[in-house]
Amino acid sequence: MRNPIILSRRGVLASGLALGASAALGPLARAAAPVKVAGIHGSPVENAWNSVLHKALQDAAKEGVIEYVFSEGVSGTDYPRAMREYAEQGAKLIIGETFPVEKQAREVAADYPDTAFVMGSSGKEAGDNFGVFGTWNFDGAYLAGMLAGKMTKSNVVGSVGAMPIPEVNMLINAFAEGVKAVNPDAKHRVTFIGTFFDPPKAREAGLAQIDAGADILFGERIGTADAAKERKIKSVGSLIDYTPRYPDTVFANALWNFRPILNAALADVAAGKPTGRDYTAYGLMKEGGSDIVYVKGVAPAEAEAAMEAKRAEIKAGTFEVPKIMTEPK
């Protein structure tokens, strides 16, 4: 049978701020031999979300914690087969995303009880070996919204997202809630491009948002900042730090780091514990898994001070950003 998996070993330039990348795994994990880990990426590893996972896995491999192989650009139709083939090849932990194949992915996991699967998912964990995680960098998105709400001059901001799944909805809604918290009169427009990786399409959506009056864009998808740069307005990035790439355009980024989630999963594998649980919380700001990075002096000083005060509350656990998973309008 033809093997559909292409094992890519090419390096990717590290983007963004590494949060908690050197967090300890504990003596059990450190004492054990490197864990065989496979990554199955539905998009190219240049895609922001996949790049965050890929970097965390690469870093762990460089440290000798894991042996890492991966595939990228795996379509939904091939995804269950890729899961099976990595399990057959002896991977002890498989990391990936099952948004388009939730039912099939759980069926595969049930056939390989000795393999741990920890997947980005909109669903629940299953059995002892199918764990899930969400991309919860919504704390940073809310804080960026607080800055944007005080910066907009047209009183219109826009968001460009992939598709209205819960994780994307929650992120965009958090940005909108942050805007509304400081500027109740501001309008928020949303466009979904219908795919996870199409920078030209995201750019076109961003341009349409600007034509509709938006003077600040939240880019849940790569390509949004290109529209903002072209029209000389400000933009907010998501997942990684886009400011070095767009120094005059992206003034704030809602960062997310996969390493705390990976560490927790590896610790469970090393200890022989079930991995059929939800690892999402390890990615929260109060756990060191997400944050905001911004260029000081772009937003008004009082806006930055108010945002930093709210950031401290989030980290202390005294304020929770609303988790709104319904489709934003």
Side-chain angles (χ1 to χ4, degrees):
M1 181 180 71
R2 185 176 65 88
N3 188 341
I5 300 175
I6 300 173
L7 297 181
S8 173
R9 301 183 186 276
R10 59 189 172 84
V12 176
L13 289 177
S15 298
L17 181 66
L19 305 173
S22 61
L25 289 172
L28 259 173
R30 290 295 183 189
V35 178
K36 293 182 179 180
V37 179
I40 309 177
H41 302 283
S43 297
V45 291
E46 289 87 355
N47 184 38
W49 188 88
N50 300 93
S51 76
V52 175
L53 272 66
H54 188 58
K55 183 180 185 303
L57 289 158
Q58 284 186 315
D59 288 346
K62 289 175 184 175
E63 295 164 17
V65 176
I66 67 173
E67 295 177 10
Y68 175 47
V69 293
F70 69 96
S71 300
E72 59 183 317
V74 181
S75 68
T77 53
D78 278 341
Y79 211 93
R81 179 168 52 176
M83 293 172 65
R84 289 185 183 279
E85 293 194 358
Y86 275 126
E88 292 285 349
Q89 292 168 16
K92 293 300 181 184
L93 173 63
I94 297 177
I95 301 290
E97 55 200 280
T98 57
F99 302 107
V101 289
E102 298 287 10
K103 180 176 181 294
Q104 301 95 314
R106 286 159 178 76
E107 290 172 352
V108 173
D111 290 340
Y112 296 92
D114 294 330
T115 303
F117 298 82
V118 176
M119 298 285 176
S121 171
S122 295
K124 298 290 186 182
E125 64 273 18
D128 287 338
N129 69 324
F130 189 89
V132 297
F133 64 89
T135 312
W136 282 16
N137 61 323
F138 61 92
D139 289 331
Y142 180 91
L143 296 174
M146 290 181 66
L147 296 179
K150 286 295 188 181
M151 290 170 57
T152 177
K153 293 179 173 58
S154 67
N155 249 15
V156 180
V157 299
S159 293
V160 177
M163 54 190 71
I165 62 173
E167 284 76 19
V168 174
N169 293 344
M170 184 167 54
L171 184 61
I172 291 175
N173 284 327
F175 173 74
E177 289 294 308
V179 171
K180 186 168 68 175
V182 300
N183 187 350
D185 296 327
K187 295 180 180 179
H188 176 234
R189 304 185 187 280
V190 184
T191 303
F192 293 104
I193 63 172
T195 181
F196 287 111
F197 189 74
D198 192 335
K201 195 169 184 179
R203 172 186 165 274
E204 290 298 323
L207 291 173
Q209 292 276 9
I210 298 167
D211 289 340
D215 64 354
I216 297 177
L217 295 181
F218 175 62
E220 194 273 327
R221 288 295 105 186
I222 287 180
T224 309
D226 292 307
K229 179 180 179 181
E230 185 174 324
R231 296 292 181 85
K232 301 187 186 314
I233 69 167
K234 297 300 183 184
S235 179
V236 174
S238 179
L239 297 175
I240 63 175
D241 185 356
Y242 285 96
T243 300
R245 197 182 308 180
Y246 303 92
D248 299 319
T249 302
V250 178
F251 72 94
N253 299 271
L255 303 183
W256 182 65
N257 179 32
F258 183 66
R259 190 62 187 271
I261 292 174
L262 175 62
N263 286 353
L266 288 171
D268 285 343
V269 170
K273 294 180 179 179
T275 53
R277 65 187 183 102
D278 191 338
Y279 290 90
T280 301
Y282 292 97
L284 289 171
M285 183 177 288
K286 65 181 181 180
E287 300 294 337
S290 61
D291 209 337
I292 183 174
V293 61
Y294 64 100
V295 180
K296 293 186 177 180
V298 177
E302 62 272 18
E304 291 183 1
M307 183 277 288
E308 286 288 3
K310 191 61 64 177
R311 181 186 184 205
E313 291 179 27
I314 293 171
K315 288 190 172 187
T318 57
F319 176 78
E320 290 190 7
V321 172
K323 300 181 185 69
I324 306 172
M325 297 190 180
T326 54
E327 182 175 348
K329 302 297 183 183

